[in-house]
Amino acid sequence: GDLAGARDQYAHAAASALGHPHALKLLGSVRYALGAPEPALAALDAALEAAPAYADAHCDRGVALCALSRAAEAVAAFEAALQADPAHASARFNLANVRRARGEWPAAVAAYASVLGAQPEHWKAGLGLSVSLIGAGRLEEAEAALGAALAAGAPADEVETELTRLKRLGAARRAGG
């Protein structure tokens, strides 16, 4: 709906409640959704100052940090979310994505496997796992992960993109490249 209106309402609620952590977290989420990661980060930091173990705020902080290309800080934020709530699925998935983007293949594989252990139907984690397995040179496992992602509901065009990547990498490795 009306994100700008929601932002204004959450800002008022946060001010009225003297820094209520949930209102501040929601304000940060809305600011991020409106394309303002720096102001989102300020609201999320305020939420965490009021409630240091607020897993959702740590996770959203990690997302905002990713948008600001601050990957190392994002990793720390996602890890803080998982420390506060070890079952936090979004933090686990986002941490896996950052690990993959940084080329940290073994850590990405472990993180995606953890997501899939809790949510086998999470096809985006399945695709991420396959890419990470490709990066780690585990091509047969990557192919199996792609098949599992497709079975879990991944769109065929996204699986086909990953299969093409897998085939290209396999050919390059066989050719010694």
Short mmCIF file of all heavy atoms in Angstrom, two decimals, residues 44-107:
data_model
loop_
_atom_site.label_atom_id
_atom_site.label_comp_id
_atom_site.label_asym_id
_atom_site.label_seq_id
_atom_site.Cartn_x
_atom_site.Cartn_y
_atom_site.Cartn_z
N LEU A 44 17.03 1.34 12.62
CA LEU A 44 17.33 -0.01 13.12
C LEU A 44 18.37 0.03 14.23
O LEU A 44 18.26 -0.71 15.21
CB LEU A 44 17.79 -0.89 11.96
CG LEU A 44 16.70 -1.16 10.92
CD1 LEU A 44 17.29 -1.70 9.63
CD2 LEU A 44 15.64 -2.11 11.48
N ASP A 45 19.35 0.91 14.11
CA ASP A 45 20.33 1.08 15.19
C ASP A 45 19.65 1.56 16.47
O ASP A 45 19.97 1.10 17.57
CB ASP A 45 21.44 2.04 14.76
CG ASP A 45 22.42 1.41 13.78
OD1 ASP A 45 22.45 0.17 13.66
OD2 ASP A 45 23.15 2.18 13.13
N ALA A 46 18.69 2.47 16.32
CA ALA A 46 17.95 2.95 17.49
C ALA A 46 17.13 1.82 18.12
O ALA A 46 17.05 1.71 19.34
CB ALA A 46 17.06 4.13 17.11
N ALA A 47 16.52 0.99 17.27
CA ALA A 47 15.76 -0.15 17.79
C ALA A 47 16.67 -1.09 18.57
O ALA A 47 16.31 -1.58 19.64
CB ALA A 47 15.10 -0.91 16.64
N LEU A 48 17.88 -1.31 18.05
CA LEU A 48 18.81 -2.21 18.72
C LEU A 48 19.42 -1.60 19.98
O LEU A 48 19.79 -2.32 20.90
CB LEU A 48 19.90 -2.65 17.75
CG LEU A 48 19.39 -3.60 16.67
CD1 LEU A 48 20.39 -3.75 15.53
CD2 LEU A 48 19.04 -4.95 17.28
N GLU A 49 19.48 -0.29 20.01
CA GLU A 49 19.93 0.37 21.25
C GLU A 49 18.92 0.12 22.35
O GLU A 49 19.28 -0.12 23.51
CB GLU A 49 20.12 1.87 21.00
CG GLU A 49 20.73 2.59 22.18
CD GLU A 49 21.01 4.05 21.86
OE1 GLU A 49 21.56 4.34 20.78
OE2 GLU A 49 20.68 4.90 22.71
N ALA A 50 17.63 0.13 21.98
CA ALA A 50 16.57 -0.10 22.96
C ALA A 50 16.40 -1.58 23.29
O ALA A 50 16.00 -1.92 24.41
CB ALA A 50 15.25 0.48 22.43
N ALA A 51 16.68 -2.44 22.32
CA ALA A 51 16.49 -3.90 22.52
C ALA A 51 17.63 -4.63 21.80
O ALA A 51 17.47 -5.06 20.66
CB ALA A 51 15.13 -4.33 21.98
N PRO A 52 18.78 -4.77 22.44
CA PRO A 52 19.97 -5.32 21.78
C PRO A 52 19.83 -6.75 21.24
O PRO A 52 20.56 -7.13 20.34
CB PRO A 52 21.03 -5.28 22.89
CG PRO A 52 20.55 -4.26 23.85
CD PRO A 52 19.05 -4.30 23.80
N ALA A 53 18.89 -7.52 21.74
CA ALA A 53 18.72 -8.90 21.29
C ALA A 53 17.55 -9.05 20.31
O ALA A 53 17.02 -10.15 20.14
CB ALA A 53 18.54 -9.83 22.48
N TYR A 54 17.16 -7.99 19.63
CA TYR A 54 16.02 -7.99 18.72
C TYR A 54 16.47 -8.58 17.38
O TYR A 54 17.02 -7.88 16.53
CB TYR A 54 15.50 -6.57 18.58
CG TYR A 54 14.16 -6.38 17.90
CD1 TYR A 54 13.61 -5.12 17.83
CD2 TYR A 54 13.45 -7.43 17.34
CE1 TYR A 54 12.40 -4.90 17.22
CE2 TYR A 54 12.24 -7.24 16.73
CZ TYR A 54 11.71 -5.97 16.67
OH TYR A 54 10.50 -5.75 16.06
N ALA A 55 16.23 -9.86 17.18
CA ALA A 55 16.74 -10.58 16.01
C ALA A 55 16.26 -9.98 14.69
O ALA A 55 17.04 -9.83 13.75
CB ALA A 55 16.36 -12.06 16.09
N ASP A 56 14.98 -9.63 14.61
CA ASP A 56 14.46 -9.06 13.36
C ASP A 56 15.15 -7.75 13.01
O ASP A 56 15.42 -7.48 11.84
CB ASP A 56 12.95 -8.83 13.45
CG ASP A 56 12.15 -10.12 13.37
OD1 ASP A 56 12.70 -11.16 12.97
OD2 ASP A 56 10.95 -10.07 13.71
N ALA A 57 15.44 -6.94 14.00
CA ALA A 57 16.13 -5.67 13.74
C ALA A 57 17.56 -5.92 13.28
O ALA A 57 18.05 -5.24 12.37
CB ALA A 57 16.10 -4.78 14.99
N HIS A 58 18.24 -6.89 13.88
CA HIS A 58 19.59 -7.24 13.42
C HIS A 58 19.55 -7.70 11.96
O HIS A 58 20.39 -7.31 11.15
CB HIS A 58 20.20 -8.35 14.28
CG HIS A 58 20.75 -7.89 15.58
ND1 HIS A 58 21.87 -7.09 15.68
CD2 HIS A 58 20.34 -8.13 16.85
CE1 HIS A 58 22.14 -6.86 16.96
NE2 HIS A 58 21.22 -7.47 17.69
N CYS A 59 18.57 -8.53 11.64
CA CYS A 59 18.45 -9.05 10.28
C CYS A 59 18.19 -7.92 9.29
O CYS A 59 18.84 -7.82 8.24
CB CYS A 59 17.34 -10.10 10.21
SG CYS A 59 17.23 -10.88 8.58
N ASP A 60 17.23 -7.06 9.60
CA ASP A 60 16.93 -5.93 8.70
C ASP A 60 18.13 -5.00 8.58
O ASP A 60 18.39 -4.44 7.52
CB ASP A 60 15.71 -5.16 9.19
CG ASP A 60 14.40 -5.89 8.91
OD1 ASP A 60 14.45 -7.03 8.38
OD2 ASP A 60 13.33 -5.32 9.21
N ARG A 61 18.88 -4.86 9.66
CA ARG A 61 20.10 -4.06 9.62
C ARG A 61 21.08 -4.66 8.63
O ARG A 61 21.72 -3.96 7.85
CB ARG A 61 20.72 -3.98 11.03
CG ARG A 61 21.92 -3.08 11.12
CD ARG A 61 22.39 -2.94 12.57
NE ARG A 61 23.39 -1.90 12.66
CZ ARG A 61 24.69 -2.09 12.40
NH1 ARG A 61 25.12 -3.29 12.08
NH2 ARG A 61 25.53 -1.08 12.49
N GLY A 62 21.21 -5.99 8.63
CA GLY A 62 22.09 -6.66 7.67
C GLY A 62 21.67 -6.41 6.24
O GLY A 62 22.50 -6.17 5.36
N VAL A 63 20.37 -6.44 5.99
CA VAL A 63 19.86 -6.18 4.64
C VAL A 63 20.19 -4.75 4.21
O VAL A 63 20.64 -4.52 3.09
CB VAL A 63 18.34 -6.45 4.58
CG1 VAL A 63 17.75 -5.98 3.26
CG2 VAL A 63 18.07 -7.94 4.79
N ALA A 64 19.99 -3.79 5.11
CA ALA A 64 20.32 -2.39 4.79
C ALA A 64 21.82 -2.24 4.53
O ALA A 64 22.24 -1.52 3.61
CB ALA A 64 19.86 -1.47 5.92
N LEU A 65 22.63 -2.91 5.32
CA LEU A 65 24.08 -2.84 5.12
C LEU A 65 24.49 -3.45 3.78
O LEU A 65 25.40 -2.94 3.11
CB LEU A 65 24.80 -3.54 6.28
CG LEU A 65 24.76 -2.77 7.60
CD1 LEU A 65 25.12 -3.69 8.76
CD2 LEU A 65 25.68 -1.56 7.55
N CYS A 66 23.82 -4.52 3.37
CA CYS A 66 24.08 -5.09 2.04
C CYS A 66 23.79 -4.07 0.95
O CYS A 66 24.56 -3.93 0.00
CB CYS A 66 23.24 -6.34 1.82
SG CYS A 66 23.83 -7.81 2.67
N ALA A 67 22.68 -3.36 1.11
CA ALA A 67 22.32 -2.34 0.12
C ALA A 67 23.35 -1.23 0.05
O ALA A 67 23.50 -0.57 -0.98
CB ALA A 67 20.94 -1.76 0.43
N LEU A 68 24.07 -1.02 1.14
CA LEU A 68 25.12 0.00 1.20
C LEU A 68 26.50 -0.57 0.87
O LEU A 68 27.51 0.11 1.06
CB LEU A 68 25.12 0.64 2.59
CG LEU A 68 23.86 1.42 2.95
CD1 LEU A 68 23.82 1.75 4.43
CD2 LEU A 68 23.76 2.69 2.10
N SER A 69 26.53 -1.82 0.38
CA SER A 69 27.79 -2.50 0.02
C SER A 69 28.75 -2.61 1.19
O SER A 69 29.95 -2.50 1.04
CB SER A 69 28.46 -1.79 -1.16
OG SER A 69 27.62 -1.80 -2.28
N ARG A 70 28.19 -2.87 2.36
CA ARG A 70 28.99 -3.04 3.58
C ARG A 70 28.85 -4.49 4.05
O ARG A 70 28.27 -4.78 5.09
CB ARG A 70 28.55 -2.02 4.62
CG ARG A 70 28.90 -0.60 4.18
CD ARG A 70 28.19 0.51 4.93
NE ARG A 70 28.32 0.47 6.37
CZ ARG A 70 27.70 1.34 7.17
NH1 ARG A 70 26.95 2.32 6.66
NH2 ARG A 70 27.83 1.26 8.48
N ALA A 71 29.40 -5.40 3.23
CA ALA A 71 29.18 -6.84 3.42
C ALA A 71 29.72 -7.36 4.74
O ALA A 71 29.06 -8.18 5.39
CB ALA A 71 29.79 -7.62 2.26
N ALA A 72 30.89 -6.93 5.15
CA ALA A 72 31.46 -7.44 6.41
C ALA A 72 30.56 -7.08 7.59
O ALA A 72 30.32 -7.90 8.48
CB ALA A 72 32.87 -6.90 6.62
N GLU A 73 30.04 -5.87 7.59
CA GLU A 73 29.13 -5.46 8.66
C GLU A 73 27.80 -6.21 8.56
O GLU A 73 27.18 -6.53 9.58
CB GLU A 73 28.87 -3.96 8.60
CG GLU A 73 30.08 -3.11 8.94
CD GLU A 73 29.81 -1.64 8.69
OE1 GLU A 73 29.20 -1.00 9.58
OE2 GLU A 73 30.18 -1.15 7.60
N ALA A 74 27.37 -6.49 7.33
CA ALA A 74 26.13 -7.25 7.14
C ALA A 74 26.28 -8.66 7.72
O ALA A 74 25.37 -9.16 8.39
CB ALA A 74 25.76 -7.31 5.66
N VAL A 75 27.42 -9.29 7.47
CA VAL A 75 27.68 -10.62 8.04
C VAL A 75 27.54 -10.56 9.56
O VAL A 75 26.88 -11.40 10.17
CB VAL A 75 29.06 -11.15 7.61
CG1 VAL A 75 29.48 -12.34 8.46
CG2 VAL A 75 29.06 -11.52 6.14
N ALA A 76 28.16 -9.55 10.17
CA ALA A 76 28.09 -9.42 11.63
C ALA A 76 26.64 -9.22 12.09
O ALA A 76 26.23 -9.78 13.12
CB ALA A 76 28.97 -8.26 12.10
N ALA A 77 25.85 -8.47 11.33
CA ALA A 77 24.45 -8.24 11.70
C ALA A 77 23.64 -9.53 11.60
O ALA A 77 22.84 -9.85 12.50
CB ALA A 77 23.84 -7.15 10.82
N PHE A 78 23.84 -10.28 10.52
CA PHE A 78 23.11 -11.55 10.38
C PHE A 78 23.53 -12.54 11.46
O PHE A 78 22.69 -13.26 12.01
CB PHE A 78 23.31 -12.14 8.99
CG PHE A 78 22.71 -11.30 7.89
CD1 PHE A 78 23.44 -11.01 6.75
CD2 PHE A 78 21.42 -10.78 7.98
CE1 PHE A 78 22.91 -10.24 5.73
CE2 PHE A 78 20.88 -10.00 6.97
CZ PHE A 78 21.62 -9.73 5.85
N GLU A 79 24.81 -12.56 11.79
CA GLU A 79 25.28 -13.44 12.86
C GLU A 79 24.70 -13.02 14.20
O GLU A 79 24.36 -13.88 15.03
CB GLU A 79 26.80 -13.48 12.88
CG GLU A 79 27.38 -14.26 11.70
CD GLU A 79 28.89 -14.24 11.60
OE1 GLU A 79 29.53 -13.37 12.25
OE2 GLU A 79 29.43 -15.09 10.87
N ALA A 80 24.56 -11.73 14.43
CA ALA A 80 23.94 -11.25 15.67
C ALA A 80 22.47 -11.67 15.73
O ALA A 80 21.97 -12.05 16.80
CB ALA A 80 24.07 -9.73 15.79
N ALA A 81 21.78 -11.61 14.60
CA ALA A 81 20.38 -12.06 14.56
C ALA A 81 20.30 -13.54 14.91
O ALA A 81 19.42 -13.95 15.68
CB ALA A 81 19.78 -11.80 13.18
N LEU A 82 21.23 -14.33 14.37
CA LEU A 82 21.22 -15.77 14.66
C LEU A 82 21.63 -16.07 16.09
O LEU A 82 21.18 -17.07 16.67
CB LEU A 82 22.12 -16.50 13.67
CG LEU A 82 21.56 -16.53 12.24
CD1 LEU A 82 22.61 -17.00 11.26
CD2 LEU A 82 20.31 -17.39 12.18
N GLN A 83 22.46 -15.22 16.66
CA GLN A 83 22.80 -15.40 18.07
C GLN A 83 21.57 -15.14 18.94
O GLN A 83 21.33 -15.85 19.91
CB GLN A 83 23.95 -14.48 18.46
CG GLN A 83 24.47 -14.74 19.85
CD GLN A 83 25.73 -13.95 20.13
OE1 GLN A 83 25.85 -12.79 19.77
NE2 GLN A 83 26.67 -14.59 20.80
N ALA A 84 20.79 -14.13 18.57
CA ALA A 84 19.58 -13.80 19.32
C ALA A 84 18.48 -14.84 19.09
O ALA A 84 17.70 -15.13 20.00
CB ALA A 84 19.08 -12.41 18.93
N ASP A 85 18.42 -15.38 17.87
CA ASP A 85 17.39 -16.37 17.52
C ASP A 85 18.00 -17.35 16.52
O ASP A 85 17.99 -17.10 15.31
CB ASP A 85 16.17 -15.68 16.91
CG ASP A 85 15.10 -16.66 16.45
OD1 ASP A 85 15.24 -17.88 16.68
OD2 ASP A 85 14.10 -16.20 15.85
N PRO A 86 18.54 -18.46 17.00
CA PRO A 86 19.22 -19.42 16.12
C PRO A 86 18.34 -19.97 15.00
O PRO A 86 18.85 -20.46 14.00
CB PRO A 86 19.65 -20.54 17.07
CG PRO A 86 19.75 -19.88 18.40
CD PRO A 86 18.66 -18.83 18.41
N ALA A 87 17.03 -19.88 15.13
CA ALA A 87 16.12 -20.39 14.10
C ALA A 87 15.67 -19.31 13.12
O ALA A 87 14.80 -19.56 12.29
CB ALA A 87 14.90 -21.01 14.77
N HIS A 88 16.26 -18.12 13.16
CA HIS A 88 15.82 -17.00 12.32
C HIS A 88 16.13 -17.31 10.85
O HIS A 88 17.26 -17.17 10.39
CB HIS A 88 16.51 -15.71 12.76
CG HIS A 88 15.80 -14.48 12.30
ND1 HIS A 88 15.83 -14.05 11.00
CD2 HIS A 88 15.03 -13.60 12.98
CE1 HIS A 88 15.12 -12.95 10.89
NE2 HIS A 88 14.62 -12.66 12.08
N ALA A 89 15.11 -17.74 10.11
CA ALA A 89 15.29 -18.22 8.73
C ALA A 89 15.79 -17.13 7.80
O ALA A 89 16.66 -17.38 6.96
CB ALA A 89 13.98 -18.80 8.22
N SER A 90 15.26 -15.94 7.91
CA SER A 90 15.67 -14.86 7.02
C SER A 90 17.13 -14.48 7.23
O SER A 90 17.88 -14.24 6.27
CB SER A 90 14.75 -13.65 7.22
OG SER A 90 15.08 -12.62 6.30
N ALA A 91 17.57 -14.44 8.48
CA ALA A 91 18.97 -14.12 8.77
C ALA A 91 19.88 -15.20 8.21
O ALA A 91 20.92 -14.90 7.61
CB ALA A 91 19.18 -13.96 10.27
N ARG A 92 19.49 -16.44 8.36
CA ARG A 92 20.30 -17.56 7.86
C ARG A 92 20.40 -17.48 6.33
O ARG A 92 21.47 -17.65 5.75
CB ARG A 92 19.67 -18.88 8.30
CG ARG A 92 20.55 -20.06 8.08
CD ARG A 92 20.03 -21.30 8.79
NE ARG A 92 19.74 -21.10 10.20
CZ ARG A 92 20.64 -21.05 11.18
NH1 ARG A 92 21.91 -21.17 10.89
NH2 ARG A 92 20.26 -20.87 12.42
N PHE A 93 19.28 -17.23 5.65
CA PHE A 93 19.28 -17.15 4.19
C PHE A 93 20.10 -15.95 3.70
O PHE A 93 20.91 -16.07 2.78
CB PHE A 93 17.84 -17.07 3.67
CG PHE A 93 17.74 -16.94 2.18
CD1 PHE A 93 18.13 -17.98 1.34
CD2 PHE A 93 17.26 -15.78 1.60
CE1 PHE A 93 18.04 -17.87 -0.03
CE2 PHE A 93 17.16 -15.66 0.22
CZ PHE A 93 17.55 -16.71 -0.60
N ASN A 94 19.90 -14.80 4.33
CA ASN A 94 20.66 -13.61 3.92
C ASN A 94 22.15 -13.77 4.18
O ASN A 94 22.98 -13.31 3.39
CB ASN A 94 20.10 -12.37 4.61
CG ASN A 94 18.82 -11.90 3.96
OD1 ASN A 94 18.79 -11.62 2.77
ND2 ASN A 94 17.75 -11.85 4.73
N LEU A 95 22.51 -14.41 5.28
CA LEU A 95 23.92 -14.68 5.56
C LEU A 95 24.50 -15.57 4.47
O LEU A 95 25.62 -15.33 3.97
CB LEU A 95 24.08 -15.33 6.93
CG LEU A 95 25.50 -15.73 7.32
CD1 LEU A 95 26.43 -14.51 7.36
CD2 LEU A 95 25.50 -16.42 8.68
N ALA A 96 23.75 -16.59 4.05
CA ALA A 96 24.21 -17.46 2.97
C ALA A 96 24.43 -16.66 1.69
O ALA A 96 25.43 -16.85 0.99
CB ALA A 96 23.19 -18.58 2.74
N ASN A 97 23.50 -15.74 1.39
CA ASN A 97 23.63 -14.93 0.18
C ASN A 97 24.89 -14.06 0.22
O ASN A 97 25.58 -13.92 -0.80
CB ASN A 97 22.40 -14.04 -0.01
CG ASN A 97 21.18 -14.83 -0.39
OD1 ASN A 97 21.27 -15.93 -0.93
ND2 ASN A 97 20.01 -14.27 -0.11
N VAL A 98 25.19 -13.47 1.37
CA VAL A 98 26.40 -12.65 1.48
C VAL A 98 27.64 -13.52 1.33
O VAL A 98 28.58 -13.15 0.64
CB VAL A 98 26.42 -11.87 2.82
CG1 VAL A 98 27.75 -11.15 3.00
CG2 VAL A 98 25.28 -10.88 2.89
N ARG A 99 27.64 -14.66 1.98
CA ARG A 99 28.78 -15.58 1.86
C ARG A 99 29.01 -15.97 0.39
O ARG A 99 30.14 -16.00 -0.09
CB ARG A 99 28.57 -16.83 2.70
CG ARG A 99 28.43 -16.56 4.19
CD ARG A 99 29.78 -16.53 4.84
NE ARG A 99 29.65 -16.57 6.28
CZ ARG A 99 30.43 -15.88 7.08
NH1 ARG A 99 31.37 -15.10 6.59
NH2 ARG A 99 30.28 -15.95 8.38
N ARG A 100 27.92 -16.26 -0.32
CA ARG A 100 28.03 -16.62 -1.74
C ARG A 100 28.57 -15.45 -2.55
O ARG A 100 29.49 -15.61 -3.35
CB ARG A 100 26.67 -17.05 -2.29
CG ARG A 100 26.76 -17.54 -3.75
CD ARG A 100 25.40 -17.69 -4.39
NE ARG A 100 24.87 -16.36 -4.62
CZ ARG A 100 23.59 -16.04 -4.55
NH1 ARG A 100 22.69 -16.93 -4.23
NH2 ARG A 100 23.20 -14.81 -4.78
N ALA A 101 28.04 -14.26 -2.31
CA ALA A 101 28.48 -13.08 -3.06
C ALA A 101 29.96 -12.79 -2.84
O ALA A 101 30.63 -12.28 -3.73
CB ALA A 101 27.63 -11.87 -2.68
N ARG A 102 30.45 -13.14 -1.66
CA ARG A 102 31.87 -12.91 -1.34
C ARG A 102 32.77 -14.06 -1.78
O ARG A 102 33.98 -14.02 -1.57
CB ARG A 102 32.02 -12.67 0.17
CG ARG A 102 31.33 -11.38 0.62
CD ARG A 102 31.39 -11.18 2.09
NE ARG A 102 32.78 -10.95 2.51
CZ ARG A 102 33.13 -10.60 3.73
NH1 ARG A 102 32.22 -10.47 4.66
NH2 ARG A 102 34.39 -10.39 4.03
N GLY A 103 32.17 -15.09 -2.38
CA GLY A 103 32.96 -16.23 -2.84
C GLY A 103 33.44 -17.12 -1.72
O GLY A 103 34.38 -17.89 -1.89
N GLU A 104 32.78 -17.07 -0.58
CA GLU A 104 33.12 -17.91 0.57
C GLU A 104 32.33 -19.22 0.42
O GLU A 104 31.36 -19.46 1.13
CB GLU A 104 32.77 -17.18 1.87
CG GLU A 104 33.55 -15.88 2.04
CD GLU A 104 33.07 -15.04 3.21
OE1 GLU A 104 32.15 -15.46 3.95
OE2 GLU A 104 33.62 -13.94 3.39
N TRP A 105 32.76 -20.05 -0.53
CA TRP A 105 31.98 -21.21 -0.95
C TRP A 105 31.67 -22.19 0.17
O TRP A 105 30.48 -22.56 0.33
CB TRP A 105 32.65 -21.89 -2.14
CG TRP A 105 32.89 -20.94 -3.28
CD1 TRP A 105 34.09 -20.64 -3.84
CD2 TRP A 105 31.92 -20.14 -3.96
NE1 TRP A 105 33.92 -19.70 -4.83
CE2 TRP A 105 32.61 -19.37 -4.93
CE3 TRP A 105 30.54 -19.99 -3.85
CZ2 TRP A 105 31.96 -18.49 -5.78
CZ3 TRP A 105 29.90 -19.09 -4.69
CH2 TRP A 105 30.60 -18.36 -5.65
N PRO A 106 32.64 -22.67 0.95
CA PRO A 106 32.28 -23.64 2.00
C PRO A 106 31.28 -23.05 3.02
O PRO A 106 30.34 -23.74 3.43
CB PRO A 106 33.62 -23.98 2.66
CG PRO A 106 34.64 -23.70 1.59
CD PRO A 106 34.10 -22.51 0.84
N ALA A 107 31.48 -21.79 3.40
CA ALA A 107 30.56 -21.17 4.36
C ALA A 107 29.18 -20.98 3.74
O ALA A 107 28.15 -21.16 4.41
CB ALA A 107 31.12 -19.82 4.83
#
